[in-house]
């Protein structure tokens, strides 16, 4: 009797132990199956799926960023976007002979989208600021004259002038203008940025110059530096004029830009300089 009870107790214990063992085996099995399906423990969080972010190449800023100047920032430009052609007003003329040394290019006299000067050369032997190959070019005659101008500044006064932005293609100007519209709005863009075809830089006869005292930037304080004063008084000897004088915004369409010089050849540059007129006024009075 006593043995029977003892035996029953032992059987119950064995049964319970077996059940616990089976339960443990089942739990381990199920957990293993779940791991196989997800590759992860069932409690772990799924990694967040991230969209691949397309890298926008950091296009070198080829132009000058000048508050109040004609040359605007290009930083947020997305090259993947299709360029938009800004509208051109009806009262705009196309420049008849864009390769002429005295070609007048402004907001009313535009260059065609296809005009590229044939005799662009690299600025060799001249201190430059930026590495962009497009803007470190000028038409050959203007380049030779610029080299002479820079040399004279050094020989006569010990100044070291630097070339910052020369030739600029229609496409580059279009991208600049569109970028300015995007960042600052149409009204501001039309006030400060040249539309494509309206920038004198497309002629390959204009150069933006600066110096160490300006930290190689462009703004109208260049006109107060010794270098800037010397340029305004001597550029014509080498065939250049300071194209956008102070107080002539209504005529030239641009604010004062003491850094922007335009090649016209020594004879015409000297006449324009001595007249005290803008190129627009001089052309009109001598037609
Ligand atoms: Zn300029």
């Amino acid at each position: 009797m006593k043995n029977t009870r003892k035996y029953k107790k032992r059987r119950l214990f064995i049964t319970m132990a077996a059940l616990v063992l089976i339960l443990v085996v089942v739990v381990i099995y199920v957990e293993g199956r779940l791991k196989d399906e997800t590759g992860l423990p069932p409690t772990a969080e799924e990694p967040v799926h991230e969209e691949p972010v397309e890298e926008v190449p950091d296009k070198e800023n080829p132009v000058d960023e000048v508050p109040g100047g004609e040359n605007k920032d290009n930083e947020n430009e997305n090259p993947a976007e299709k360029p938009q052609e800004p509208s051109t007003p009806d009262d705009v003329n196309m420049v008849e002979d864009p390769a002429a040394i005295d070609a007048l290019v402004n907001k009313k006299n535009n260059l065609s989208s296809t005009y590229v000067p044939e005799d662009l050369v690299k600025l060799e032997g001249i201190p430059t600021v930026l590495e962009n190959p497009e803007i470190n070019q000028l038409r050959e005659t203007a380049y030779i004259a610029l080299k002479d101008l820079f040399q004279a500044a050094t020989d006569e006064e010990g100044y070291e002038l630097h070339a910052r932005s020369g030739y600029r293609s229609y496409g580059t100007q279009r991208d600049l203008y569109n970028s300015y519209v995007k960042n600052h709005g149409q009204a501001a863009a039309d006030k400060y940025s040249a539309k494509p075809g309206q920038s004198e830089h497309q002629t390959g006869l204009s150069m933006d110059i600066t110096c160490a005292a300006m930290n190689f930037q462009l703004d109208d304080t260049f006109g107060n530096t010794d270098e800037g004063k010397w340029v305004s008084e001597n550029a014509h000897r080498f065939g250049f004029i300071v194209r956008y004088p102070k107080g002539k915004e209504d005529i030239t369409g641009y604010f004062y830009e003491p850094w922007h010089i335009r090649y016209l050849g020594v004879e015409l540059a000297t006449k324009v300089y001595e007249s005290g007129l803008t190129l627009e006024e001089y052309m009109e009075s001598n037609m």
Side-chain angles (χ1 to χ4, degrees), residues 70-71 201 208 257 259-260:
E70 63 163 330
N71 309 309
H201 286 276
D208 296 332
E257 291 193 357
W259 64 83
H260 177 114

Side-chain angles (χ1 to χ4, degrees), residues 194-234:
K195 283 185 180 177
Q198 299 182 350
S199 171
E200 224 186 27
H201 286 276
Q202 195 187 336
T203 64
L205 296 170
S206 292
M207 178 56 73
D208 296 332
I209 58 176
T210 183
C211 60
M214 294 297 299
N215 203 20
F216 308 109
Q217 302 297 308
L218 305 177
D219 68 58
D220 58 16
T221 61
F222 180 64
N224 302 326
T225 63
D226 291 338
E227 290 87 343
K229 286 176 193 164
W230 185 86
V231 167
S232 75
E233 287 162 12
N234 292 278

Side-chain angles (χ1 to χ4, degrees), residues 39-56:
L40 290 164
T43 51
E45 277 183 28
E46 286 279 312
V48 178
H49 177 69
E50 288 181 22
E51 286 294 326
V53 178
E54 201 177 303
E55 286 275 330
V56 177

Side-chain angles (χ1 to χ4, degrees), residues 5-226:
R5 273 180 67 189
K6 203 175 173 184
Y7 173 73
K8 272 188 175 173
K9 238 182 170 180
R10 187 181 289 171
R11 210 170 63 174
L12 189 66
F13 175 76
I14 290 168
T15 306
M16 289 295 283
L19 279 171
V20 168
L21 192 71
I22 288 165
L23 197 67
V24 167
V25 168
V26 166
V27 165
I28 289 170
Y29 174 77
V30 168
E31 196 168 334
R33 283 294 301 270
L34 285 171
K35 266 188 186 176
D36 289 345
E37 280 166 18
T38 63
L40 290 164
T43 51
E45 277 183 28
E46 286 279 312
V48 178
H49 177 69
E50 288 181 22
E51 286 294 326
V53 178
E54 201 177 303
E55 286 275 330
V56 177
D58 187 20
K59 190 178 168 188
E60 197 203 342
N61 184 359
V63 293
D64 323 288
E65 300 169 35
V66 186
E70 63 163 330
N71 309 309
K72 290 304 159 220
D73 49 287
N74 199 23
E75 276 176 354
N76 301 327
E77 183 188 23
N78 182 354
E81 278 178 22
K82 204 182 169 194
Q84 299 215 328
E85 295 293 343
S87 62
T88 307
D90 295 337
D91 63 341
V92 160
N93 303 310
M94 296 310 286
V95 175
E96 274 181 34
D97 184 5
I101 291 295
D102 63 353
L104 181 67
V105 175
N106 55 27
K107 291 180 180 175
K108 289 181 180 162
N109 297 280
N110 293 10
L111 295 168
S112 88
S113 60
T114 55
Y115 178 65
V116 178
E118 286 177 0
D119 54 351
L120 289 172
V121 294
K122 280 190 221 164
L123 302 180
E124 273 164 3
I126 286 180
T128 54
V129 177
L130 303 170
E131 284 177 13
N132 184 308
E134 179 179 288
I135 64 173
N136 286 326
Q137 296 181 99
L138 276 183
R139 288 183 62 189
E140 193 168 14
T141 43
Y143 157 69
I144 292 165
L146 188 76
K147 214 171 167 180
D148 290 346
L149 174 74
F150 280 22
Q151 192 62 51
T154 303
D155 293 347
E156 294 173 22
E157 302 292 340
Y159 300 151
E160 194 179 2
L161 298 171
H162 283 67
R164 191 174 161 115
S165 188
Y167 170 66
R168 196 180 300 157
S169 69
Y170 183 94
T172 297
Q173 189 64 39
R174 178 190 54 210
D175 294 347
L176 268 178
Y177 178 81
N178 288 342
S179 162
Y180 203 71
V181 170
K182 199 169 137 193
N183 294 324
H184 304 279
Q186 179 91 43
D190 287 340
K191 202 169 173 186
Y192 298 115
S193 177
K195 283 185 180 177
Q198 299 182 350
S199 171
E200 224 186 27
H201 286 276
Q202 195 187 336
T203 64
L205 296 170
S206 292
M207 178 56 73
D208 296 332
I209 58 176
T210 183
C211 60
M214 294 297 299
N215 203 20
F216 308 109
Q217 302 297 308
L218 305 177
D219 68 58
D220 58 16
T221 61
F222 180 64
N224 302 326
T225 63
D226 291 338

